Amino acid sequence: TLTVTSANHWVTAWLGLELNMISILPVIAKQKHPRSTEAATKYFLTQATASALMLFASTINAWQTGSWNIMQLNNKLSCVLMIAALTMKMGAAPAHFWLPEVMQGATLATALLITTWQKIAPITLLYMISNHTEPIITLSIGLLSILVGGWGGFNQTQLRKMMAYSSIAHLGWTMTVISIMPNIALTNIIIYMIMSTPFFMLLMTTASKTLQTMTTTWTHTPTTTIILMLLLLSMAGLPPLTGFTPKLLILDNLITHKLTLTAATMALLSLLSLTFYLRTTYLLTSTAPPTTTQSTTTWRLKPHQNQITALLAPVALFNITILPTLLT
């Protein structure tokens, strides 16, 4: 990932992405189970296809313009192909089909890696070529991703698949604004990573994989339940939580650029995502689970497991960034 983020030459970036892909394959296939082997195979095939497309796009650009520099992607065709390749790498719609399947076959820790760390390299490359991208293409990909992310997560009971669709929807918000205001797109993806990391960490400590097992957390870890609820609402983008900030900034910028209809469509489509976040929140906090514990111990998580969560959860929940706007 660091090789890609510090690269100037397309071949170096491609090499970094390949190393990154080869390194994570054993991590996905670590469990001795057909599902994880299948997930690793699917991941490998999609990423290899995207890498080949990326190399093809950069070769065409070098052939036409004589430059291998990442910032000088001046050829129209190579730019479109490059966006397609990076969309596939990230798992944004319409090349999203691999993401829920791969995450379902992986462990929660690996799923966290795929939704956060593995997005850094392609997002960095998109950021670097953002001044050459066609806004109509990125807007279309973004809107489609928000739609797919909302619709796909609708009737999921598996938390990893639900988080995969949540990731697709957040990538959609990033994609819509990347060619207009790349800095805001970067802010959006960073805030998403800050929100999803403590969420996955808490799922790992409570070993929750489905909505059904999630309902039982209230009986033995009430604090976890409250934090999970707030994190879900933050991911849904409800004020005054952190997840609201990037959404507000994105919509504000789209309206500034006379894209009011697009902004309105995005706001309406995000209601789809809100539905499944609220459903999960309701199951988590407002329903009494059938399994109750007789023990008086209310906090059973080991302290060392919660250090990262303790660091990231306040950042993901308290919307410090929006306060100056509210005060003015």
Side-chain angles (χ1 to χ4, degrees):
T1 304
L2 295 174
T3 308
V4 180
T5 49
S6 57
N8 281 320
H9 195 285
W10 275 118
V11 177
T12 320
W14 173 79
L15 197 68
L17 283 166
E18 287 297 291
L19 285 168
N20 185 5
M21 176 188 74
I22 292 161
S23 310
I24 203 166
L25 287 175
V27 179
I28 299 171
K30 186 177 66 174
Q31 292 173 291
K32 304 287 184 289
H33 194 275
R35 278 306 295 265
S36 51
T37 315
E38 184 191 333
T41 312
K42 282 176 178 172
Y43 188 83
F44 169 73
L45 290 171
T46 46
Q47 298 295 317
T49 310
S51 292
L53 194 57
M54 185 183 152
L55 200 59
F56 178 53
S58 51
T59 311
I60 289 176
N61 187 62
W63 180 39
Q64 293 290 329
T65 62
S67 169
W68 280 97
N69 194 317
I70 293 177
M71 308 292 272
Q72 294 172 358
L73 194 71
N74 298 323
N75 186 275
K76 279 265 173 70
L77 175 64
S78 351
C79 196
V80 173
L81 287 171
M82 191 59 73
I83 293 169
L86 294 173
T87 302
M88 201 175 201
K89 279 254 173 228
M90 290 186 298
H96 66 280
F97 294 98
W98 62 272
L99 187 62
E101 296 300 318
V102 168
M103 279 180 67
Q104 187 55 32
T107 58
L108 282 165
T110 315
L112 170 63
L113 264 181
I114 294 166
T115 47
T116 54
W117 188 261
Q118 292 302 96
K119 302 266 188 282
I120 296 172
I123 286 280
T124 309
L125 289 174
L126 259 177
Y127 181 79
M128 288 165 87
I129 63 162
S130 59
N131 58 334
H132 295 295
T133 53
E134 284 286 331
I136 188 76
I137 297 171
T138 52
L139 281 169
S140 306
I141 291 170
L143 281 169
L144 191 62
S145 296
I146 297 168
L147 176 67
V148 166
W151 223 306
F154 230 70
N155 54 357
Q156 292 299 337
T157 53
Q158 296 288 337
L159 289 172
R160 282 166 295 181
K161 273 194 176 177
M162 196 184 84
M163 288 309 291
Y165 284 110
S166 160
S167 169
I168 293 164
H170 278 90
L171 279 173
W173 282 86
T174 306
M175 286 299 285
T176 43
V177 83
I178 196 121
S179 55
I180 301 164
M181 283 291 280
N183 289 347
I184 290 176
L186 219 54
T187 310
N188 181 52
I189 207 76
I190 290 165
I191 288 177
Y192 167 68
M193 286 174 189
I194 289 169
M195 290 186 297
S196 60
T197 306
F199 184 80
F200 271 106
M201 291 274 185
L202 288 171
L203 289 186
M204 276 186 263
T205 48
T206 55
S208 305
K209 290 187 179 69
T210 60
L211 288 176
Q212 194 179 359
T213 49
M214 208 180 183
T215 53
T216 59
T217 54
W218 177 254
T219 51
H220 60 273
T221 55
T223 321
T224 304
T225 316
I226 293 161
I227 297 170
L228 278 173
M229 176 195 78
L230 289 169
L231 285 168
L232 277 163
L233 294 176
S234 185
M235 272 190 262
L238 293 178
L241 303 167
T242 309
F244 174 64
T245 314
K247 284 187 166 63
L248 181 68
L249 290 170
I250 290 167
L251 293 176
D252 181 47
N253 261 284
L254 288 172
I255 292 164
T256 311
H257 286 84
K258 303 279 189 293
L259 292 163
T260 317
L261 189 65
T262 313
T265 312
M266 284 166 68
L268 288 169
L269 289 176
S270 67
L271 293 175
L272 290 169
S273 301
L274 180 66
T275 310
F276 69 80
Y277 287 126
L278 284 180
R279 186 190 59 186
T280 314
T281 310
Y282 176 73
L283 281 171
L284 191 63
T285 54
S286 306
T287 53
T291 48
T292 53
T293 175
Q294 300 303 314
S295 167
T296 52
T297 316
T298 52
W299 184 258
R300 296 184 190 160
L301 304 181
K302 296 173 185 68
H304 71 269
Q305 289 176 316
N306 297 302
Q307 287 163 352
I308 300 169
T309 312
L311 280 169
L312 290 176
V315 187
L317 298 178
F318 303 118
N319 200 344
I320 305 153
T321 43
I322 205 72
L323 282 176
T325 323
L326 296 173
L327 293 170
T328 50

